[in-house]
Amino acid sequence: MGKALAVSPLAPASFPDLPVIDGVRFSTIAAGVRYQGRTDVMLALLDPGTAVAGAFTRSATRSAPVLDCQEKISGDGAGSGAAILVNSGNSNAFTGKGGVEAVRAIADATAQATGVPQARVFTSSTGVIGEPLPFDRITAKLDALAGTLDAGGISEAAKAIMTTDTFPKGAAAEVSIDGKTVRIAGIAKGSGMIAPDMATMLVYIFTDAKIARSDLQALVSASNETTFNCITVDSDTSTSDTLLVAATGASGVEVTGHDGFADGLHGVMIDLAHQVVRDGEGATKFVEITVTGARTDRDAKTHALSVANSPLVKTAIAGEDANWGRVVMAVGKSGAEADRDLLSIRFGDVLVAEKGWVSPGYSEADAAAHMKGQNLRIAVDIGLGCGAATVWTCDLTHGYIDINADYRS
């Protein structure tokens, strides 16, 4: 990771102006966990009364921080506030008992520095797998972190959690409820090792809404299925995926059952999910794949992910080749029900194939023109039922190899 990475051509023009969320403060610091000359630790301190919900990787080799968060997430401790401590550069995954001890040491030090109970300290680590986390470099900085907390520090927090990311990721929404404003702001990191099985990244979302933990968890779990669980960069599910959503209640606005809040939260989550794909390692194309007409929604998602994860489809996209035969292949191998003679495929608005054969009106030039854009759409109708799903991915270029071939150097 010694080489500076060029900013993705799919990156937003700038980091968004995120609102201050009352009830949460941020600080960052350079601890030298792995990187030199940049911040690599983030602390978020949440006021008493904060509800915390989350989702985590389902990997069988998930990291010590993930396991610790999973144990704590359903605990009843909102009255004591909470803290989130994140380091980049080392994932503390596949590190045995030492990894567990590192999490405990960091959580204990964070609790001591902030006054938050250890059971309400949520930690995350991201970076290289299989190397011991030099946690003493982090614990040595806890007092300094606690002493520089700032309600307006979320943009710096987004930078501190980056690894191979080429730009920091943020999104926000405001929702009006009974004439009062509820604010939502979130940050994320993610660039490689991205495949649906929760989120495959680190995501932290904050709101001043007042909501019970169980209701917040239900909203997070539901939105997760159609946002972070519908993106893929390289089909590889991380050991460290963590999504935490914290509701401080500082606005005093109750949002239980309010569709506007659910929509606002979903909007922030889908925005962040798309940004992760747009920062896919080596990506030059952002691709939306929609499958309709499947026997069930589940079948539709299976087909869509098979297309999205196909190296042959992704390299064709990188080469701007309207090779619809590779889409046919990916649908056929997915394992979900399909009928060759009922399939239809579109690249953008161009119908390229139908009824088991190339469309009579197919224009190679029109399809090729669509493939030259940065934002592409591939649509497949299976012709069997009403099931539908949409997933998002990127192309596969030599840049992905360049980044990952020397990731530990």
Side-chain angles (χ1 to χ4, degrees), residues 50 66 69 80 121 150 299:
T50 297
V66 169
C69 282
S80 303
V121 175
D150 177 9
D299 274 6

Side-chain angles (χ1 to χ4, degrees), residues 76-123:
D76 182 17
S80 303
I84 299 172
L85 191 288
V86 186
N87 77 268
S88 59
N90 183 306
S91 70
N92 194 18
F94 204 64
T95 47
K97 292 182 178 179
V100 175
E101 292 169 359
V103 170
R104 186 177 299 115
I106 292 169
D108 286 344
T110 302
Q112 185 172 350
T114 62
V116 171
Q118 200 262 21
R120 291 285 289 175
V121 175
F122 301 93
T123 70

